[in-house]
Amino acid sequence: MSTLWACFALPELALEAGMGNGEWGMGKTEAKPHSHSPDSRFPIPAAHGCADAADAARSGSAHSPFPVPAAHGCANAAGAEPAPESIRGCAGAVRSPPFALHDGATQRPRIVCANTAARAAGIRAGMALAQAQALLPGLVARRHDPSAQARRLELLGAMAYGFSSQVVLEPPDAVLLEIGASRALFGDWKAIEHALRVRLAEIGHHAVFAAAPTPAAARVLAGLADGYAVAQPGHLARVLARVPIGAARLSAEHTEELRRIGARTLGDVFVLPRAALARRFGEGLLQALDWLRGSEPDIRTCYRPPDRFERRIEFDHGIAHREALRFPLQRLARELAAFVQSRDGGVPRFVLRFDHDPHEHGAEAGAAATLLEVGLRKPSRDADALFEAARQTLERAALPAPAHALALIADDLPPFAPELRDLFDPGLRGSLDWDALAERLRARLGEGAVRELALHADHRPERAWRVAEASAVTPKDPPLPPPRPLWLLPQPIPFRGRIVRFVEAPERIETGWWDGGDARRDYAIADLDTGQRAWLFRVADAQADQAGGAGTMRTSDAPPAHDVGWMLHGWFA
Amino acid sequence: MREAATLQDALRDGRVFAGGRAARTHEGLPSGNGAFDDALPWGGFPRGALTEVLIAADGLGELSLLAPALARLMCRERIVLVAPPYIPYAPALVRAGWPLARLAWIDAPPERAPWVAEQCLRAGCLGAALVWTTGGDERALRRLQVAAEDGGSFGFAFRPARHAANPSPAALRLLVDADAAGAIRLRVLKCRGAQPPSTAFAPARTH
């Protein structure tokens, strides 16, 4: 399969990242998977070669469709807009109160960007914040934080990494991924696009998509229309030829100079002789054009997912109520799940950090943050399971002060190990698998209720077992222990039964003098008159040793009298 | 998932020879005691049903009775012990041939134990669930029986022998007690679909 680069650009990323810093409730994006009409569904390797399937419903306006010559074998299914500026106006999926970001200047802060509702009220980028607030008193304005946006882009890169091994971040607001090889696994571009849209909507983002044989072309097309795909390298030059110079993402000076010589579209530039272009504009422009057309390899630095997850949500005011913390927690759990899924990993435990305002509680200045450790029985990558575990931990814990920020940190990210299964395994008969069942029981009965057992190398019977860690590996062939009862009493109790006979020769267990748990016992297996078989011991003392020690115990069938000093330690159930 | 389902369909087809394994529909789980297995219609403990074990006291070898069968079951499936009366002692379990990795011990308060066992049986992901309960509530047992049918698992309920006279919805009821001489007896009180054998069995006691 030939290379195909997909690009998704998030024109409102700054806003979405900005809203993530507190207005998480407002940023609820409709999980609207792109609903193409059936006739606009062109699989990528279609004979036509390109399908402009921008969703009319999404792009909102049907005027000035991107000029693709239908005669050239392209299906232009729906309207799309010509310039990225106007695409910013069509992100209608976010229904939220007016919101804007300002540059945070102390003297005269200016609006950097505003959402649909704010723009509807006439608020524009570059406007003074005071003017914007005069226009719209209900405007929520927050300081623009480029680093928050960069972090958010990293997260989106991590998500895209689940679809392709070659992911390139295009700051400030786009992600490129090579999907030519991914098509074998995920299906055609439509399927990948749909999956990406759903995943993005889940974490509250709206994006525009494009696909092209070169990364640069994909980025350019994403700026022009949503859902535009060019699969055949042969068609690329024709499509690019229609791209306006202003939308071609060339450097600002090149754009200006090309405009000045009368070039309106890239096609006007492509027909110019290379030598003349190189003389006039330098090698840089030629290279950019070659990268666009794919006549020269465009080598970019691929994104590598980090080995750590940390996200933080700040609140406008302190939140003390647990119910109110649910939503940010759910959002963080979803992001964590998206992150570990894209790594094909799982997360066994993570930490929730609630930051408090140190000035709010003068007496508790030390408690600047509360840390809650959330542990799962097994590494998980399911958003609901992660959220459920976090919620339960939160419900049991108490916050000393209202939280001003919530952070989720996961350091331990082992590779996901799916359970090995037998070919003839009958598989699931019911609705739950063991992990889900165990989580449910733990939730109902408490953390330590579901236990696994393991051997421990110690001769003292009460220490020869322990509750296994979740990740414990039991040795393949443990040495066969001597006869032991299936039931062990938590504490030995004085024995009050009647011994009929002893079954085995007594066993002396004498150990532990080095760690203070000194044990010196003679164990015996005895049948009782009730038919029960008991595991008894007597503390062996030095005197008894001198007098013959354990030798005094009989293994004959002669029933001894009600022996004193026996302790019951187990039942042979 | 769809591939897995079609594979299972193919394996269920009677013409497919499954590498020496007998067809597994509603077969029994042999206990290892030949005379006992022969006397039961399933040739052992019934799958997808509840087996009730009434015990006169702890330590009569009631768990050893199931140990070989469960050890075989645990080659492939997980089992759980719900609210056992004592600590299930790992060295003895290993000696009985139980892989500890396929065993879970669920500590539940006595009043919750039937509910937990029901969840475990209904989930269908477990080979068997063993529950210890002292209550005489017949409805709880009925729920266990239905859950075992739904999940297709082996259900075992251990109860005190004093409930022997009460009716029970379990498919198989066993009574383990000792005779006057202190010898262990295993009697079948009820087995669905057949006349319970009148003779008592003497379970072999290794330890």
Side-chain angles (χ1 to χ4, degrees), chain A residues 419 422-434 437 440-441 444-445 448-455 460-462 464-467 474 478-490 501 503-504 525 527-533 535 571-573, chain B residues 7-8 11 18-19 21 24 47 57-64 76-78 80 84-95 100-101 103-109 112 115-116 119-120 122-127 132 150-153 178 182 184 205-207:
Chain A
E419 206 172 346
D422 192 284
L423 171 64
F424 296 106
D425 193 331
L428 274 184
R429 291 182 300 266
S431 50
L432 283 176
D433 66 356
W434 166 242
L437 173 64
R440 177 186 286 189
L441 294 176
R444 196 62 81 88
L445 302 170
V450 180
R451 305 165 187 171
E452 283 179 28
L453 294 164
L455 293 178
R460 280 163 290 187
E462 62 273 20
W465 71 283
R466 53 178 52 185
V467 172
T474 39
L480 200 63
R484 289 286 181 261
L486 282 166
W487 290 150
L488 187 77
L489 271 58
R501 61 179 167 268
V503 179
E504 291 251 339
I525 301 170
D527 278 348
L528 311 185
D529 58 348
T530 52
Q532 293 164 288
R533 185 165 286 184
W535 203 42
W571 291 114
F572 285 84
Chain B
L7 181 62
Q8 293 310 325
L11 291 172
R21 287 194 179 95
R24 308 156 41 94
R47 181 181 271 278
D58 296 320
L60 292 174
E62 65 276 11
L63 197 53
S64 316
R76 297 172 56 200
E77 290 180 90
R78 187 182 286 275
V80 292
Y86 305 100
I87 297 167
Y89 194 40
L93 298 171
V94 169
R95 203 180 150 85
L100 294 182
L103 176 73
W105 164 23
I106 301 175
D107 191 21
R112 280 277 179 85
W115 176 84
V116 173
Q119 299 299 310
C120 292
R122 181 154 290 145
C125 56
L126 297 166
W132 281 261
D150 286 355
S153 309
I184 307 294
R205 196 158 194 180
T206 47
H207 267 296

Side-chain angles (χ1 to χ4, degrees), chain A residues 310-330:
Chain A
E310 176 164 2
R311 297 279 176 276
R312 187 160 177 271
I313 294 182
E314 276 175 20
F315 311 129
D316 287 343
H317 44 84
I319 299 181
H321 201 256
R322 287 199 191 103
E323 228 17 59
L325 286 167
R326 261 180 83 110
F327 294 101
L329 197 58
Q330 189 158 27

